[in-house]
């Protein structure tokens, strides 16, 4: 196995032509800039429900938001249509990095027929034009990144606007999250995990409060490393997916993501699940999240997953930035 740590710089530059590593490690700067560009954006609440619209690398910001906000329910919309139960007390967040994703644009048109409040997060495209035309609140984030590498801009723009609008109270947590990213050392752990995952299908299991983090890991492994990966939560996987370890059709590697303060029964379930899968011959790692706030724990866990997917891409010799199959589908659909 090629050790990424000793992979020569020229070879890394050949594989990672667009320098995805820089975008991943710039997350603290992206967060700081997000706070700056969204500081004047304020919404007229209160809201009784939030609907987060977005696909792929943009949709994940809403999913993480759902695991963070506990005062208002957050519903995810990954469709061409908005749920029927949106009303004047709802906030619709339309989030598309390019601003041209057709599902999100269809929901943007549907939003015009509701009386809900709208917030747009985008770097441009038709969505920005619509926001300006319909005087929707918007944050215009910088362009030039792969959508999935702009998570710092997307998530923290939303959090800052919600914080300015009194929907969440996270202003000190945002500073702590940046500090946790800057002070932590994640590279060696990520390289070692990528080496263990090589040649195996990653299965990411989290406690329910971090399901969005597990989904982010899965999506980053899909898009950066170009492999299948799967995410589930404990306890749910204890009631079905665990049975798949009986008749393994391929090699797998399991990552458990949990909090040291998770429900005691969940911690016990992780311990038992780990024992069972080890007996079935499957290796695993447990990532126990520690930190001063949930946001810090989430964002550092996301960052480790981003790095793992990056180093796994290098291990496989695939460019982490390109998404030829996603692009092919989008191209065919515009014909
Ligand atoms: C590409 C990526 C994709 C896109 C998705 C939606 O980096 O992560 O999952 O995010 O195809 O496109 P946008 O984000 O432009 O709405």
């Amino acid at each position: 196995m090629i050790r990424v740590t000793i992979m020569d710089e020229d070879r890394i530059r050949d594989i990672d032509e667009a320098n995805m590593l820089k975008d991943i490690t710039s997350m603290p700067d992206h967060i700081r800039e997000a706070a700056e560009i969204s500081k004047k954006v304020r919404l007229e609440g209160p809201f009784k429900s939030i609907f987060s619209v977005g696909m792929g690398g943009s949709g994940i910001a809403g999913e993480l938001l759902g695991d963070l906000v506990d005062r208002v329910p957050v519903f995810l919309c990954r469709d061409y249509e908005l749920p029927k139960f949106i009303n004047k007390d709802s906030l619709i967040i339309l989030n598309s990095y390019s601003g041209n994703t057709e599902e999100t644009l269809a929901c943007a048109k549907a939003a015009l027929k509701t009386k809900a409040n709208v917030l747009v997060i985008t770097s441009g495209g038709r969505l920005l034009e619509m926001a300006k035309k319909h005087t929707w609140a918007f944050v215009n984030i910088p362009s030039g990144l792969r959508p999935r590498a702009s998570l710092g801009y997307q998530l923290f723009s939303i959090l800052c606007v919600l914080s300015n609008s009194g929907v969440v109270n996270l202003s000190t947590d945002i500073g702590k999250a940046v500090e946790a990213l800057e002070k932590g050392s994640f590279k060696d752990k990520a390289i070692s995990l990528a080496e263990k995952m090589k040649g195996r299908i990653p299965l990411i299991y989290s406690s329910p409060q971090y399901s969005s983090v597990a989904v982010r890991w899965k999506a980053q492994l899909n898009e950066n490393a170009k492999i299948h990966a799967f995410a589930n939560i404990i306890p749910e996987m204890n009631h079905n997916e665990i049975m798949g370890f009986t008749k393994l059709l391929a090699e797998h590697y399991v990552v458990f993501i949990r909090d040291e303060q998770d429900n005691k029964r969940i911690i016990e379930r992780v311990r038992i699940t780990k024992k069972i899968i080890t007996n079935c011959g499957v290796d695993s790692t447990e990532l126990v999240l520690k930190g001063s706030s949930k946001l810090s724990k989430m964002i550092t866990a996301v960052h480790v997953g981003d790095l793992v997917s990056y180093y796994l891409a290098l291990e496989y010799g695939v460019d982490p930035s390109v998404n030829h199959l996603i692009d092919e589908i989008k191209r065919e659909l515009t014909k």
Side-chain angles (χ1 to χ4, degrees):
M1 185 185 297
I2 309 163
R3 280 194 59 87
V4 176
T5 34
I6 56 163
M7 196 185 263
D8 78 68
E9 295 287 319
D10 287 345
R11 169 123 173 86
I12 293 178
R13 263 194 300 273
D14 275 353
I15 302 173
D16 181 19
E17 267 182 70
N19 202 354
M20 168 72 89
L21 184 60
K22 178 173 170 284
D23 295 340
I24 293 175
T25 52
S26 299
M27 199 189 242
D29 295 331
H30 296 177
I31 296 173
R32 269 190 288 264
E33 204 181 330
E36 190 54 36
I37 56 181
S38 52
K39 72 175 179 215
K40 291 202 178 111
V41 185
R42 203 162 275 114
L43 305 163
E44 281 303 319
F47 307 112
K48 292 198 178 137
S49 53
I50 296 177
F51 294 81
S52 176
V53 181
M55 305 302 298
S58 294
I60 193 67
E63 191 143 358
L64 289 157
L65 182 75
D67 279 345
L68 275 168
V69 176
D70 45 19
R71 290 193 210 161
V72 188
V74 178
F75 300 93
L76 303 179
C77 310
R78 290 177 169 129
D79 193 356
Y80 288 84
E81 281 159 41
L82 291 172
K84 304 269 181 292
F85 50 97
I86 289 180
N87 58 38
K88 65 172 180 31
D89 299 320
S90 306
L91 169 65
I92 302 172
I93 304 175
L94 299 163
N95 190 17
S96 166
Y97 186 71
S98 61
N100 289 322
T101 295
E102 66 172 37
E103 298 92 319
T104 313
L105 288 174
C107 287
K109 281 192 195 120
L112 292 170
K113 297 195 185 103
T114 71
K115 292 194 164 58
N117 300 270
V118 178
L119 169 65
V120 165
I121 310 290
T122 187
S123 73
R126 300 254 341 269
L127 194 56
L128 185 62
E129 285 166 19
M130 283 184 80
K132 288 179 178 165
K133 181 170 172 199
H134 302 291
T135 58
W136 288 333
F138 69 86
V139 181
N140 186 5
I141 59 179
S143 57
L145 295 165
R146 297 300 302 186
R148 60 188 177 283
S150 70
L151 179 65
Y153 282 113
Q154 300 193 34
L155 176 64
F156 285 81
S157 295
I158 298 172
L159 289 176
C160 290
V161 174
L162 294 184
S163 189
N164 300 341
S165 316
V167 180
V168 294
N169 185 8
L170 287 170
S171 42
T172 52
D173 289 4
I174 292 174
K176 283 184 199 159
V178 173
E179 200 179 299
L181 281 175
E182 284 182 330
K183 286 205 172 144
S185 50
F186 309 102
K187 184 179 165 188
D188 290 347
K189 186 176 194 63
I191 290 175
S192 133
L193 257 174
E195 287 176 348
K196 287 178 188 153
M197 265 180 201
K198 192 177 180 193
R200 295 158 163 191
I201 298 171
L203 303 174
I204 318 297
Y205 299 138
S206 73
S207 53
Q209 60 163 333
Y210 293 105
S211 63
S212 56
V213 175
V215 172
R216 168 72 174 185
W217 273 61
K218 172 209 164 332
Q220 289 291 77
L221 288 162
N222 297 151
E223 294 193 52
N224 291 344
K226 280 72 175 160
I227 54 163
H228 274 145
F230 299 90
N232 205 338
I233 50 175
I234 290 180
E236 178 59 20
M237 70 78 69
N238 284 176
H239 298 271
N240 35 61
E241 189 166 327
I242 186 93
M243 290 309 299
F245 289 92
T246 322
K247 194 163 168 51
L248 291 161
L249 301 178
E251 278 201 63
H252 297 77
Y253 190 83
V254 171
V255 179
F256 294 101
I257 300 175
R258 71 164 180 88
D259 192 318
E260 51 184 355
Q261 281 152 17
D262 270 327
N263 179 302
K264 295 278 171 292
R265 297 302 289 164
I266 288 177
I267 296 175
E268 184 60 1
R269 279 178 180 274
V270 171
R271 187 190 67 75
I272 298 168
T273 307
K274 193 171 175 176
K275 188 181 77 187
I276 291 174
I277 67 159
T278 305
N279 290 340
C280 293
V282 176
D283 291 338
S284 64
T285 293
E286 206 175 331
L287 204 69
V288 183
L289 307 184
K290 298 182 179 115
S292 52
S293 70
K294 184 164 179 195
L295 182 57
S296 295
K297 294 182 210 181
M298 281 176 74
I299 209 67
T300 50
V302 160
H303 188 58
V304 174
D306 288 1
L307 288 172
V308 171
S309 67
Y310 173 79
Y311 288 114
L312 195 55
L314 294 191
E315 288 276 359
Y316 286 132
V318 292
D319 183 343
S321 293
V322 299
N323 282 135
H324 58 295
L325 300 179
I326 297 175
D327 298 342
E328 188 179 327
I329 291 179
K330 289 185 181 179
R331 256 195 328 272
E332 289 249 349
L333 280 162
T334 50
K335 268 183 199 164

